[in-house]
Amino acid sequence: MGEQTEKKKGWISFRVKPDEYDRIHAHFKSTTCRKLSVYARNVLLQKPVLVKYRNKSADEFLAEMNKLKKDLNGVANNFNQAVHKLHTLDRIAEFRTWIMMYENSRQSVEKKIDEIKIRMDQIHKQWSQE
């Protein structure tokens, strides 16, 4: 099972000047810590803090890839809904051949979309250094 964490015993809080807060937050943002409390605890207890190097162009690329992935999922969903609706019309003889033709197209598009999503996930993991 997972490692059990000890309950935290007490609070340590203190106020800082705005410029000090900005500096602390900037240092925190440059680390791999996901929470400010974890970062502060590590610094105060003199534990190592892993600083990460962020590539702004890579971050922008990843954000755009995530947007494209969402858009791609939307297109695939709309396409599946349209084909499903066509299947309700299969009682009409004219639509049967058209439906069969588009069923093949749907499968082909779905396969390509899955391949693109897998590749996008691989690129995301590689660039975000997960």
Side-chain angles (χ1 to χ4, degrees):
M1 295 282 182
E3 196 177 290
Q4 289 187 352
T5 58
E6 292 182 41
K7 290 187 177 185
K8 309 292 189 275
K9 182 177 180 177
W11 284 85
I12 297 176
S13 59
F14 55 95
R15 299 181 66 77
V16 293
K17 295 176 186 172
D19 64 314
E20 292 172 333
Y21 179 82
D22 291 341
R23 286 179 44 211
I24 291 168
H25 221 278
H27 288 296
F28 158 64
K29 285 291 185 187
S30 70
T31 70
T32 58
C33 297
R34 293 189 181 253
K35 294 184 176 182
L36 182 59
S37 60
V38 172
Y39 168 73
R41 195 175 298 113
N42 287 342
V43 169
L44 291 170
L45 296 174
Q46 298 177 342
K47 291 183 178 179
V49 176
L50 185 60
V51 177
K52 61 184 174 185
Y53 169 75
R54 298 301 297 188
N55 182 339
K56 186 171 173 124
S57 64
D59 289 344
E60 291 168 357
F61 174 76
L62 289 175
E64 189 63 30
M65 291 295 282
N66 283 335
K67 184 181 177 297
L68 286 173
K69 188 175 176 182
K70 279 183 178 180
D71 292 345
L72 191 58
N73 283 333
V75 168
N77 189 33
N78 290 341
F79 191 74
N80 281 337
Q81 288 175 356
V83 171
H84 179 72
K85 201 163 220 160
L86 284 174
H87 279 287
T88 62
L89 301 173
D90 72 346
R91 286 176 241 116
I92 302 170
E94 301 165 2
F95 287 113
R96 281 192 202 123
T97 55
W98 197 68
I99 290 170
M100 294 304 289
M101 186 175 69
Y102 277 93
E103 179 62 27
N104 292 336
S105 294
R106 183 193 67 80
Q107 290 174 355
S108 176
V109 167
E110 198 170 274
K111 182 180 175 186
K112 281 296 177 191
I113 287 172
D114 287 342
E115 289 174 16
I116 291 168
K117 285 167 47 177
I118 289 169
R119 185 64 183 132
M120 288 172 79
D121 285 340
Q122 290 171 345
I123 291 169
H124 184 269
K125 285 181 183 175
Q126 179 182 4
W127 279 50
S128 64
Q129 301 169 356
E130 289 181 351

